[in-house]
Structures are given as structure tokens and as C-alpha cells.
Amino acid sequence: MDLSTPPTQTPNTAIPEVEQLLARARSGQMGLPELMDRSSHLQQAGMLEAAALLYQVWVETTPSPLAHVACYNWGTLLGAMNRHAEAEQVYRKALAFNENFVQARLNLGHQLEQLGRQEEALEQWRLVYDDLRVQAKGRDGEELLLHALNNGARLLENLKRYDESQALMVRSLEINPRQGSVLQHYVHIRQKQCAWPVYQPVGEVTLNQLLVGTSLLAMLSASDDPALQLMVAQRFVHEKVIDYKDRPLHELAAAQRPRDGRIRIGYLSGDLCMHAVGLMTAELYELHDRSRFEVFGFCWSRDDGTPLRERIVKSFDHHVRLHGMDDLTAARTIAAAGIDVLIDLQGLTNGARPNILAYRPAPIQACWMGLPATSALPGVDWMIADRFVMPTEYLPHCTEKPIYLDRCYQISDRKRLVGPEPTRAQYQLPEDAFVFCSFNNNHKFSEEMFHAWMRVLKQVEGSVLWLLADNPWSHANMLKVAASHGIAPERLIFAPRVAPPEYVARFALADLVLDTFPYNAGTTASDCLWVGTPILTRSGRTYISRMAGSLLTHVGLPDLVTHSLEEYEQRAVQIGQNPARARSYKRFLREQGRESTLFDIPGLVRDLENKLETMAVAQRQKQKKA
């Protein structure tokens, strides 16, 4: 047998070759370099089980001072095969051979995390970043330290132990300030904690590095400058998205099977479950005109077992799971389905798979709902919008062209569940006080707007501000700012997170919702207007800072749209000092809100369909002429 070439993949020939390799490993005559080479050949041939077995046999039968290295490679292979429990034991074996083998300890932490044993994973990484011997190893030691610190910080952030996570990020940035990913998380974790000012330099990190390193999601809360939002989106694309130069997949698919018949529309998302996108879009899929459209759902959403998830899946003509597929295979699957219009509901939000779009599996690709901002993705040419959220002056800062709806851009669900109306006493709200409210996520709270809220409370005697209690650090920081304005802590009332029906129902207890800026409320604004509670917003220069303004315009309350901090503050005080005005808004919303164009969801779907059908028919005709 020629051992210089990979074993063949034909079962009849591969099995004898593997047996010979195993026999050689048992003989004790195979050195570590040969073992690694033969195992690599097996892996290249797709014979992962055989490669893992070869390592196992060698380790069990070959005395070697380098056994820990073989165990490390064996564990890496098992981990890649998702055999995490076995990988754990192999890494522990490597450490038994050499307790100072830091790389094995790092990987052991990853296997423990995969097994759901987060505390044990954190302990393995702590043993690395607190080891003085590792810290003394120069550049190699620095890389190992950063690996341990950054993964510890990541996991702690996922566990919402934000103070511990930030502390590790600070240590990491003090070692190496040029870590883009760590800078992104450092900025955003401070936003989550309402740790103002958010841009707090650390070590040699400059304010400019923090600004340039901000993620797109964090920038939506940090700045209303459309140029900055475009810049950080382009930076992400440059770093993370492939530059696909081959022939677009939709053209290859069309050459094999020209499109005809009903327009095929596909929705692409990892959030078609109990998530804001799933909650908002559920009725959309049900309302499509099946005589004109065939509806596909391409998703990698978690199967969370909720009735919402079941409802969404049933609403598609074809539900295609992309979970477990690589991006190219997923794109080929979409192209093979002959999709005319692919609508991305994810953008660059958590869990996004932008490379699917980069392959251009559909001739028309548009974004909507998931990311209310330009994504700068090379595979997305269109953005579904209205003329309020995407005015002419905003267009130069978007890589997408608008598909303008003749009504509000936002889809919502008229079937959303609303719980029984609660009482103020249930939430420790004073019966006779004016209740301002903001149930947006704490990372949307900007320092500027929170100070404005405190000035409003100071001018509206006896009023309270009802907020979400996202985490204890944001809670403490908000109380600290309130105290600096002379606002007693009992005037900030923190509500716990609850199930969506109860969350929507309790909006009725508030007199006026105060919108965030520059990251406006989206789902939150729709929910409060649906139950009949007004929201005061401030509209700016970007799509995301104009969302609530669009909703209020289309529901018939444009006087609740302000355009400066001063106007916003004055209007909030005017309404707070005149509760009858808030009651009139509530009465208007109860009587006319649900009949407005904002909640004419069938009309919105017909409008969208007409726009997309025109584009798709023109594209088909163009394809036939080519």
C-alpha cells in the first residue's frame, strides 16, 4: 500500500487500508508525525471515525513522551464530530500526561460548554488566565491568555453576568487593544448595563477605536448618524462576508429550469419562533394570495415548541430547514427552489447568515423588519420601507434601494395574544399618579434620553417612570442618574419580564409610553398602540430613529412625533401635566386605532404583493430575453 496518498473512499478498498494502519499503530512502530499524517489523509477522505480510531489505538498502545499531543489532536477530531463527552475524556487524558498543556485545557473548556456545564468551562479558562506561568510565556502566552479571557467573557455575557464579563474584556484589551471583536462586545455590554458614558476608554484603547469598533446593533443605539451606521455595516461585510465573484446561483438555476407560474417568494430568517420577528410576521405568511404566490420559509430558527412556531411553520407552502447546512448548500437549496423574491428578515442581527445572500440564490433579494438599517450586504439590493422611515435624504447612506409601500412599513399580527387587563396594584403602580413607561430593552436607553426622562419626571409632580428590569447593573445605574436629578428611587418602578400576552396587556396601565432614541421602539410601539396607549417619539435621520414616527403617522397621531430633544421633552411635560390629554389619546386609539391603515394588515400584504409581483414579472421577462 502506498501510504503517501490518502486512502480511497471506496469501502471495499478503504477497510483493508484502515486495518493495516491500525495494525501498524498497534505495533508501536508508528511515530507521531506518521500518525498525524495518516489521520489527516483519513479525514480528507471523509473517514472521520477511522481517523479517531487510529488516534485511540495509537494512544492506548504506544508509549510516547508526546502522547499528550496525540490526545489533543484526537480530542479536536472528536469535538468536530460533536462527540463532546468523549472529547472531554480525551482532553483530560492529555492533561494527565502533561498537566501544563494549556491548549488542551482551553479546548476542554469548550467541550464542557458544549455539554452544558458552563461553570466547569469557566473554571478551566480561569485556570489559564490566572496562571502566572502562562503570563510569562511572551507572545505565545499572550495568545493563550486572550483565548481564555475572551471565551470566558463571551460565556459570562451569555449567562448575563455582565460585570464579570466586562472585567475580563478589560483585562483582554489591556493586553491587546487591537481586538475588534472584543471592542464590539465591550461597547455593547456597557450599553446593556446603562454604564454611561458607554465609550469609556480602557488601557491603550482610544475613543476612536471604540467608535470604529462598535457593532452595527450597538451603533443603532449609540448614534443617529447614518454615515456611522453605514461605516460599521461595511466594516462587518469587509471582515465577515465572502466576496462571491462566480455566476450568481439564481442564474444557474434559471438556466436549468426557467421560472413560470405563480411568483415564488421566500422568507429567510433564524427568528421564526418566539422572537420579535416571529411575533410581528406570523399573520403575513397566512395572508398571502395563494393564487398569485407560492410561499417558502427558509429558516434555521430554534424549534422552541411554542404555538407561535407551529403556526408560522404551518403558514408556509414549503418550510425548508437550513439548520445544519453550510451557507453554500443553503443558497443552492434556495436557488433550486426557483425563488423569484427572497426577503431577508435577519440583516446583521444575532444569528445572521449573510453569506447565503452573498451567493445570490434569488434574482430579487430584499431586507425587511429584522434590521431597520442598511446592512451593506452585497447580496441585498432592496429594502422594504415607507417614505417616512426612508426619506430621500437618507438614501445616500444606504446600499439598498427602497421598495416603498403606500402605507406604514411595519407588518404586525392582529391575532397577537393579549392577556387579561391587570390592575396597577399588581405592579406596585400608584393609582393616582401619571405613569410614564418605557419597556424597551435597556441597551436602547441612551444617556441623553435618560437624563431627559429625569427632567420630565422632575417637572411632572408625582409622576413615575415604569421600566423593564433587565439586569441589576442597569437598575443601579439608572437609580444613580435619577438621584443626580433629585428623583427619589421609588419614582422609578421596575417591572419583571413576563410572557408576551401579559407584556402586551400591561401597557394599558401606562398613561404615556416614552420612546427611546436613536433606537426607536418597533414591536413595542406596535403593541402599545394596539392596546390603546399612546407613545411619544423623537424622529431623527435614520430608518431606525423614524420607526415609531411612521407608526404614529399611520395610526393618526402625528402630533406625538417630535424632531428634537427639546420638543420631545416639552411635549412629555405638557401631556404629563395635563392627564386629560393622555386620556383623549387613549380614547382615540380605542375607538379608531385598530381601524387605521397601521393595522390594515391585509391591505399591507396586498400592497407588498403588488410591488413584488411587478418586480418579479419584469425580472422573468428579462431572463427570457437573455
Side-chain angles (χ1 to χ4, degrees):
M1 162 175 81
D2 181 5
L3 294 178
S4 65
T5 58
T8 65
Q9 297 183 53
T10 305
N12 292 337
T13 59
I15 293 175
E17 291 182 6
V18 171
E19 289 298 335
Q20 292 179 51
L21 288 174
L22 294 174
R24 182 166 173 77
R26 293 188 190 96
S27 72
Q29 298 178 10
M30 180 182 284
L32 180 62
E34 183 183 350
L35 168 67
M36 294 167 61
D37 182 60
R38 301 303 174 250
S39 175
S40 177
H41 286 329
L42 290 170
Q43 292 174 60
Q44 291 170 23
M47 302 171 66
L48 303 185
E49 295 285 350
L53 181 59
L54 182 62
Y55 271 117
Q56 178 180 348
V57 168
W58 190 92
V59 169
E60 291 176 349
T61 60
T62 306
S64 171
L66 297 176
H68 61 290
V69 177
C71 286
Y72 177 83
N73 291 347
W74 178 17
T76 301
L77 181 55
L78 290 170
M81 296 163 65
N82 295 318
R83 290 162 56 177
H84 303 297
E86 294 173 69
E88 175 200 350
Q89 297 307 315
V90 171
Y91 285 125
R92 291 192 185 280
K93 187 185 292 288
L95 290 168
F97 284 125
N98 183 348
E99 65 179 358
N100 298 321
F101 191 17
V102 177
Q103 291 87 341
R105 194 171 299 284
L106 292 171
N107 279 15
L108 173 59
H110 289 295
Q111 302 312 308
L112 292 168
E113 181 184 3
Q114 289 291 335
L115 293 167
R117 291 151 59 188
Q118 291 97 337
E119 291 299 328
E120 293 179 60
L122 290 168
E123 175 61 18
Q124 294 300 322
W125 294 327
R126 186 190 66 78
L127 288 172
V128 175
Y129 60 68
D130 282 349
D131 190 334
L132 295 177
R133 292 170 298 180
V134 176
Q135 297 174 26
K137 288 183 179 178
R139 184 173 296 278
D140 290 342
E142 179 179 304
E143 291 182 3
L144 298 173
L145 281 175
L146 293 177
H147 185 119
L149 287 166
N150 294 344
N151 280 285
R154 173 189 53 77
L155 181 51
L156 286 165
E157 183 177 7
N158 291 342
L159 294 172
K160 297 189 175 183
R161 290 158 59 176
Y162 297 145
D163 58 338
E164 298 174 70
S165 177
Q166 181 177 318
L168 293 187
M169 292 182 199
V170 168
R171 284 185 61 180
S172 178
L173 290 170
E174 286 174 340
I175 295 170
N176 181 356
R178 297 174 299 280
Q179 298 180 82
S181 178
V182 182
L183 287 170
Q184 287 185 31
H185 284 270
Y186 173 72
V187 170
H188 196 43
I189 206 169
R190 289 184 62 80
Q191 288 179 322
K192 291 177 181 178
Q193 299 172 91
C194 297
W196 300 311
V198 167
Y199 290 118
Q200 183 65 44
V202 53
E204 296 180 8
V205 176
T206 66
L207 285 171
N208 178 263
Q209 284 176 294
L210 288 173
L211 181 67
V212 174
T214 302
S215 69
L216 179 56
L217 177 62
M219 188 60 78
L220 299 182
S221 297
S223 174
D224 186 43
D225 188 336
L228 283 178
Q229 293 183 8
L230 175 60
M231 176 198 71
V232 296
Q234 288 177 322
R235 190 206 65 232
F236 177 89
V237 169
H238 175 72
E239 293 175 354
K240 303 291 186 180
V241 180
I242 61 168
D243 184 13
Y244 187 68
K245 298 183 182 300
D246 293 344
R247 189 177 179 186
L249 295 185
H250 68 83
E251 290 187 6
L252 295 172
Q256 297 172 6
R257 184 178 58 192
R259 295 177 179 84
D260 207 351
R262 291 184 294 169
I263 303 299
R264 292 185 174 183
I265 182 170
Y267 292 96
L268 181 70
S269 179
D271 293 327
L272 302 182
C273 53
M274 188 56 70
H275 181 277
V277 169
L279 288 164
M280 295 296 285
T281 60
E283 192 176 8
L284 163 69
Y285 318 121
E286 298 167 339
L287 289 176
H288 272 302
D289 182 354
R290 264 36 185 207
S291 69
R292 298 161 61 199
F293 290 86
E294 192 173 358
V295 185
F296 292 70
F298 298 99
C299 85
W300 54 96
S301 311
R302 67 184 186 278
D303 287 317
D304 55 15
T306 61
L308 176 67
R309 169 72 176 162
E310 182 181 8
R311 176 186 167 197
I312 290 173
V313 170
K314 285 183 177 179
S315 68
F316 293 120
D317 297 313
H318 310 277
H319 174 247
V320 183
R321 288 285 284 159
L322 302 182
H323 181 73
M325 290 187 193
D326 61 72
D327 292 337
L328 178 56
T329 302
R332 285 173 172 159
T333 300
I334 295 169
I339 301 301
D340 292 285
V341 181
L342 183 64
I343 298 178
D344 174 44
L345 299 173
Q346 192 96 25
L348 300 181
T349 57
N350 187 40
R353 297 179 61 180
N355 285 322
I356 293 176
L357 294 153
Y359 291 112
R360 291 187 177 269
I364 299 169
Q365 298 187 160
C367 60
W368 191 27
M369 296 297 291
L371 178 70
T374 185
S375 66
L377 291 175
V380 179
D381 299 315
W382 302 94
M383 183 186 295
I384 298 171
D386 62 50
R387 295 185 184 277
F388 189 97
V389 292
M390 209 167 174
T392 303
E393 56 268 28
Y394 178 56
L395 298 183
H397 301 97
C398 299
T399 58
E400 306 89 350
K401 294 169 288 189
I403 300 175
Y404 282 129
L405 300 178
D406 298 329
R407 56 194 68 225
C408 181
Y409 80 95
Q410 189 194 76
I411 191 78
S412 63
D413 180 17
R414 296 170 302 162
K415 299 178 184 177
R416 75 190 86 184
L417 298 176
V418 180
E421 185 170 336
T423 64
R424 284 193 169 185
Q426 285 177 247
Y427 288 100
Q428 294 76 53
L429 294 170
E431 294 291 343
D432 57 350
F434 192 93
V435 177
F436 293 104
C437 168
S438 183
F439 284 162
N440 279 316
N441 288 317
N442 291 168
H443 72 79
K444 296 183 181 182
F445 290 5
S446 68
E447 182 177 14
E448 178 190 56
M449 290 299 284
F450 196 83
H451 279 281
W453 293 349
M454 295 305 99
R455 291 192 294 270
V456 170
L457 287 184
K458 199 169 185 68
Q459 295 176 74
V460 180
E461 186 177 353
S463 63
V464 298
L465 179 57
W466 195 20
L467 303 161
L468 273 182
D470 242 8
N471 61 77
W473 305 280
S474 63
H475 187 156
N477 286 327
M478 284 188 268
L479 289 175
K480 182 178 178 181
V481 173
S484 73
H485 285 267
I487 302 296
E490 58 267 23
R491 294 183 66 186
L492 269 60
I493 300 173
F494 293 89
R497 288 193 176 274
V498 293
E502 183 181 346
Y503 158 79
V504 176
R506 67 185 180 186
F507 274 113
L509 302 178
D511 293 298
L512 180 67
V513 175
L514 296 176
D515 196 13
T516 45
F517 180 89
Y519 198 138
N520 276 185
T523 308
T524 300
S526 176
D527 286 338
C528 72
L529 293 172
W530 181 253
V531 299
T533 298
I535 180 171
L536 176 68
T537 192
R538 173 184 168 193
S539 292
R541 296 181 288 164
T542 56
Y543 192 126
I544 203 159
S545 69
R546 300 178 65 83
M547 295 192 301
S550 177
L551 271 66
L552 285 163
T553 299
H554 288 91
V555 84
L557 291 176
D559 58 321
L560 288 176
V561 182
T562 66
H563 299 278
S564 70
L565 182 64
E566 293 73 24
E567 185 186 9
Y568 175 95
E569 212 171 306
Q570 291 169 3
R571 193 72 47 83
V573 171
Q574 290 167 359
I575 297 170
Q577 291 178 343
N578 182 11
R581 186 170 173 179
R583 289 193 294 270
S584 71
Y585 289 136
K586 283 196 164 192
R587 184 168 57 252
F588 171 82
L589 288 171
R590 281 198 309 270
E591 295 173 356
Q592 301 183 45
R594 295 191 181 185
E595 304 306 316
S596 68
T597 58
L598 175 62
F599 294 117
D600 178 14
I601 307 306
L604 186 154
V605 175
R606 296 291 87 78
D607 186 9
L608 175 66
E609 287 179 336
N610 291 338
K611 301 291 193 304
L612 298 182
E613 185 177 47
T614 299
M615 296 171 69
V617 169
Q619 177 63 35
R620 285 184 175 183
Q621 291 173 344
K622 180 180 177 181
Q623 184 69 37
K624 289 177 180 178
K625 292 178 181 178

